């Protein structure tokens, strides 16, 4: 078992280095780890080599060899998260350190919690590093493209077991506070090393955590302590602005609260934020206007493919109330010539995607107008990626995509390589859903161009179209006239 002891000692050394524990904790932590491996003896040995992720992988493999766990990805993840939980304080102690750091600055507090979430391998940086990320040109400035490779594919045996596994009743969903410290199952991910920070915002209790998938820098989630469905209201806007009041270095936004235009989890009220400037944050202004009753709020229409109004004021309440005034007006606004109907009988179609931040001493809210109506021509949504771009992006356009970051499926990486080979004249088989696109690319590609850059910009052009399809008022002469008609109602 010398090999096991070497890796245990390496994990302890790495955790001291990452400031999860101190040298004083070594013997205690070692004994707890030995217990997880059913080991009653220990011999001093040299440290094994490897980083945190390699060390955990070695320890998971040894657990399989000892018959402690089955040889599957989910079982290894559950086991390694349990190992890392050994190094973590109770949630109350982590909160105490967080708020002690907050006394120095809000940024010091989030730096502490972000570093801890990575050091504990709750945020699995080794997997996230596999994602492909680049910027592409667009008529709206540079936009962000990521091809998501961080979620490993399940093997056929796991998929088969998933189909027959009984549904989980506890926790109620992936965001519920009961996930903190939850071991995990084949259906629910490992959360033994998961911690949250309790916050009070707008007289309600919330939890702050980081996303384990980390689509951008310091990708955080603010979630309600109660399991209630997403529903936008005036309170939502006070919640968002209240958060950036406490954490002025972060932005935060909400998915829309309706299917098609909403995010993937509408069953639990939550928002997403972080320390990152998205393409929408760099959008230029088309024109300014003044809202009735809000003399100290600066109002702009942005040059952005999704119809976006930006509100700015030194006064939090003014921005929250102005946002709600737009929301209330938009909920019942129809323009048949622009294909916008607010309701079909009693079914509502209009909502918004709000995004809050602080900038130059002002509270800023970007209000993105959304509509989820479908039609025979567009059964997935009139303001949803249309059929000719669904070979790139078919899923809902949620908050992250609205802000200009494309999260594209991992399958695309291999498919793009095939397309590049086709453009180079090699004999390959292009996926059927890309054939029309490839014929279009052949008309514009020149062999003396940088092929990788050409494909990146071609992908960016497709994502620009995805965003344009989701825009309720198109950025055309006619579309802007319709947009101005709505602005006049404000």
């Amino acid at each position: 078992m010398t090999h096991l002891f070497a890796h245990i000692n390496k994990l302890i050394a790495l955790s001291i280095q990452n400031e999860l524990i101190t040298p004083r904790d070594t013997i205690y932590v070692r004994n707890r780890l030995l217990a997880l491996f059913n080991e009653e003896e220990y011999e001093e040995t040299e440290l094994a080599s490897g980083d945190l992720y390699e060390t955990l992988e070695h320890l998971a493999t040894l657990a399989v060899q000892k018959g402690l766990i089955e040889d599957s990805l989910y079982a290894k993840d559950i086991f390694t998260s349990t190992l890392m939980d050994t190094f973590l304080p109770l949630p109350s102690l982590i909160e105490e350190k967080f708020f002690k750091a907050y006394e120095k600055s809000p940024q010091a507090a989030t730096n502490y919690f972000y570093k801890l979430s990575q050091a504990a391998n709750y945020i699995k940086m080794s997997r996230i590093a596999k994602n492909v990320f680049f910027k592409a040109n667009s008529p709206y400035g540079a936009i962000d493209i990521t091809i998501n490779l961080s979620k490993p594919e399940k093997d056929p045996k796991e998929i088969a077991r998933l189909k027959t596994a009984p549904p989980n009743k506890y926790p109620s969903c992936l965001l519920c506070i009961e996930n903190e410290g939850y071991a995990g199952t084949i259906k629910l991910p490992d959360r033994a090393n998961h911690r949250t920070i309790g916050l009070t915002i707008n007289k309600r209790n919330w939890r702050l955590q980081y996303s384990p998938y980390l689509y951008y820098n310091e990708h955080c989630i603010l979630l309600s302590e109660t399991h209630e469905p997403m529903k936008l209201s005036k309170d939502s806007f006070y919640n968002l602005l209240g958060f950036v009041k406490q954490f002025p270095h972060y932005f935060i936004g909400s998915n829309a609260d309706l299917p098609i235009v909403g995010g993937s989890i509408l069953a639990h009220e939550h928002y997403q934020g972080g320390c990152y400037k998205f393409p929408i944050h760099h959008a230029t202004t088309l024109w300014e206007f003044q809202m009735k009753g809000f003399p100290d709020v600066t109002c702009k229409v942005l040059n952005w493919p999704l119809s976006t109004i930006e509100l700015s004021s030194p006064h939090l309440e003014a921005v929250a109330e102005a946002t709600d005034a737009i929301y209330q007006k938009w909920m019942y606004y129809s323009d048949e010539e622009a294909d916008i109907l607010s309701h079909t009988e009693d079914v509502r179609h209009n909502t918004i995607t709000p995004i809050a931040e602080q900038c130059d001493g002002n509270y800023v809210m970007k209000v993105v107008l959304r509509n989820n109506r479908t039609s025979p021509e567009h059964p997935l949504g009139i303001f949803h990626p249309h059929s000719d771009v669904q070979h790139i992006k078919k899923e809902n356009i949620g908050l992250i995509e609205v802000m200009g970051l494309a999260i594209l499926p991992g399958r695309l990486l291999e498919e793009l390589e095939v397309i590049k080979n086709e453009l180079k004249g090699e004999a390959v088989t292009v996926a059927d859903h890309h054939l029309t696109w490839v014929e279009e690319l052949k008309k514009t590609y020149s062999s003396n161009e940088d092929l990788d850059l050409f494909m990146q910009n071609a992908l960016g052009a497709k994502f620009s179209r995805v965003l344009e399809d989701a825009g309720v008022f198109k950025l055309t002469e006619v579309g802007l006239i319709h947009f101005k008609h709505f602005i006049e109602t404000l």
Side-chain angles (χ1 to χ4, degrees):
M1 279 296 109
T2 305
H3 195 47
L4 170 62
F5 303 150
H7 287 299
I8 284 177
N9 287 342
K10 180 64 176 181
L11 187 60
I12 293 170
L14 288 166
S15 297
I16 293 172
Q17 180 183 320
N18 289 333
E19 299 179 354
L20 288 178
I21 60 170
T22 70
R24 167 66 180 84
D25 303 312
T26 298
I27 293 173
Y28 168 82
V29 170
R30 180 196 295 142
N31 283 333
R32 300 319 306 148
L33 295 175
L34 289 171
L36 290 172
F37 281 92
N38 291 341
E39 282 294 323
E40 298 176 354
E41 302 294 335
Y42 171 73
E43 296 175 10
E44 287 290 347
T45 182
E46 294 183 4
L47 299 184
S49 60
D51 61 20
L52 173 65
Y53 316 109
E54 291 166 337
T55 301
L56 288 171
E57 183 61 35
H58 283 305
L59 288 169
T61 300
L62 288 170
V64 171
Q65 291 171 0
K66 287 171 68 70
L68 299 174
I69 61 172
E70 66 178 69
D71 188 6
S72 66
L73 179 65
Y74 91 91
K76 289 179 178 179
D77 280 350
I78 288 172
F79 186 76
T80 54
S81 292
T82 302
L83 293 180
M84 291 312 302
D85 181 51
T86 307
F87 298 92
L88 288 175
L90 292 170
S92 59
L93 299 177
I94 290 175
E95 277 188 2
E96 187 178 317
K97 282 191 175 183
F98 179 89
F99 288 111
K100 190 71 176 173
Y102 190 91
E103 292 174 8
K104 296 179 183 177
S105 72
Q107 194 161 1
T110 55
N111 284 349
Y112 157 71
F113 189 42
Y114 187 54
K115 181 181 177 183
L116 177 126
S117 299
Q118 294 177 75
N121 201 41
Y122 171 68
I123 302 174
K124 295 177 172 62
M125 296 301 293
S126 61
R127 292 180 187 171
I128 292 162
K130 296 175 182 178
N131 291 344
V132 175
F133 181 89
F134 59 88
K135 290 185 178 290
N137 297 325
S138 86
Y140 317 100
I143 55 175
D144 297 338
I145 309 287
T146 179
I147 298 176
N148 182 26
L149 303 170
S150 60
K151 292 184 182 179
E153 292 185 14
K154 298 182 185 297
D155 64 41
K157 287 187 292 184
E158 284 184 58
I159 293 170
R161 285 182 61 187
L162 268 171
K163 291 177 180 177
T164 57
N168 280 80
K169 296 179 182 178
Y170 175 88
S172 299
C173 79
L174 293 173
L175 292 177
C176 281
I177 60 174
E178 289 80 13
N179 283 282
E180 191 173 42
Y182 185 74
T185 67
I186 193 168
K187 285 208 163 186
L188 290 176
D190 50 295
R191 292 291 182 262
N193 55 346
H194 172 43
R195 299 293 187 270
T196 64
I197 303 295
L199 299 175
T200 302
I201 298 171
N202 194 23
K203 300 178 181 177
R204 278 186 59 192
N205 293 330
W206 302 84
R207 296 289 183 91
L208 177 67
Q209 67 176 64
Y210 286 103
S211 168
Y213 307 115
L214 212 67
Y215 290 129
Y216 51 84
N217 186 51
E218 296 182 50
H219 179 183
C220 68
I221 299 171
L222 183 71
L223 55 100
S224 169
E225 282 199 353
T226 54
H227 180 68
E228 296 174 354
M230 288 285 295
K231 184 181 179 182
L232 288 178
S233 67
K234 186 190 293 188
D235 269 348
S236 307
F237 315 136
Y238 276 99
N239 295 339
L240 296 173
L241 293 163
F243 177 84
V244 297
K245 182 180 180 180
Q246 289 190 32
F247 300 95
H249 59 299
Y250 275 10
F251 83 91
I252 193 164
S254 173
N255 274 307
D257 57 346
L258 295 180
I260 297 176
V261 295
S264 56
I265 302 179
L266 295 179
H268 194 118
E269 184 179 9
H270 72 285
Y271 311 119
Q272 296 181 83
C275 191
Y276 187 73
K277 290 294 182 185
F278 281 83
I280 196 173
H281 291 121
H282 303 292
T284 56
T285 302
L286 288 176
W287 75 87
E288 293 191 13
F289 66 96
Q290 190 65 55
M291 278 182 70
K292 297 171 189 174
F294 297 97
D296 60 347
V297 177
T298 301
C299 310
K300 301 176 180 179
V301 171
L302 298 185
N303 182 28
W304 190 246
L306 286 99
S307 309
T308 304
I309 299 166
E310 182 181 276
L311 307 173
S312 177
S313 171
H315 308 296
L316 183 155
E317 183 178 353
V319 175
E321 296 291 334
T323 302
D324 188 57
I326 294 173
Y327 181 49
Q328 296 301 327
K329 184 71 71 172
W330 175 246
M331 269 201 290
Y332 299 96
Y333 185 82
S334 293
D335 182 342
E336 290 192 39
E337 290 184 16
D339 266 336
I340 298 165
L341 296 179
S342 69
H343 291 75
T344 301
E345 296 178 351
D346 294 331
V347 178
R348 177 167 66 95
H349 298 304
N350 284 356
T351 187
I352 63 172
T353 300
I355 305 153
E357 62 179 321
Q358 276 202 61
C359 187
D360 299 328
N362 287 325
Y363 291 95
V364 179
M365 185 77 82
K366 291 176 174 60
V367 183
V368 186
L369 308 178
R370 312 298 303 274
N371 177 287
N372 78 342
R373 194 164 69 90
T374 61
S375 69
E377 184 184 359
H378 301 294
L380 296 182
I382 297 170
F383 303 105
H384 180 82
H386 291 175
S387 58
D388 62 323
V389 293
Q390 287 175 8
H391 64 109
I392 294 296
K393 183 72 176 176
K394 188 175 184 178
E395 297 81 11
N396 293 359
I397 303 305
L399 172 67
I400 295 173
E401 287 89 357
V402 163
M403 294 187 290
L405 168 58
I407 303 170
L408 302 178
R411 63 170 171 82
L412 270 178
L413 195 63
E414 185 176 334
E415 293 173 0
L416 290 174
E417 288 303 313
V418 173
I419 291 172
K420 284 193 280 188
N421 289 334
E422 173 74 12
L423 294 177
K424 287 188 288 189
E426 298 178 11
V428 293
T429 303
V430 176
D432 289 347
H433 54 272
H434 289 313
L435 288 175
T436 302
W437 187 38
V438 169
E439 292 307 312
E440 294 169 0
L441 295 175
K442 285 179 178 178
K443 295 174 184 176
T444 56
Y445 174 65
S446 170
S447 58
N448 58 7
E449 285 185 77
D450 182 315
L451 184 53
D452 289 334
L453 185 61
F454 173 82
M455 284 307 303
Q456 287 178 4
N457 284 325
L459 206 56
K462 278 287 181 181
F463 184 57
S464 293
R465 256 292 316 284
V466 164
L467 297 180
E468 288 167 353
D469 286 351
V472 292
F473 297 112
K474 308 307 179 188
L475 294 183
T476 61
E477 185 177 349
V478 173
L480 291 176
I481 289 171
H482 287 282
F483 201 167
K484 287 176 179 176
H485 288 163
F486 174 67
I487 297 298
E488 286 167 7
T489 70
L490 301 175

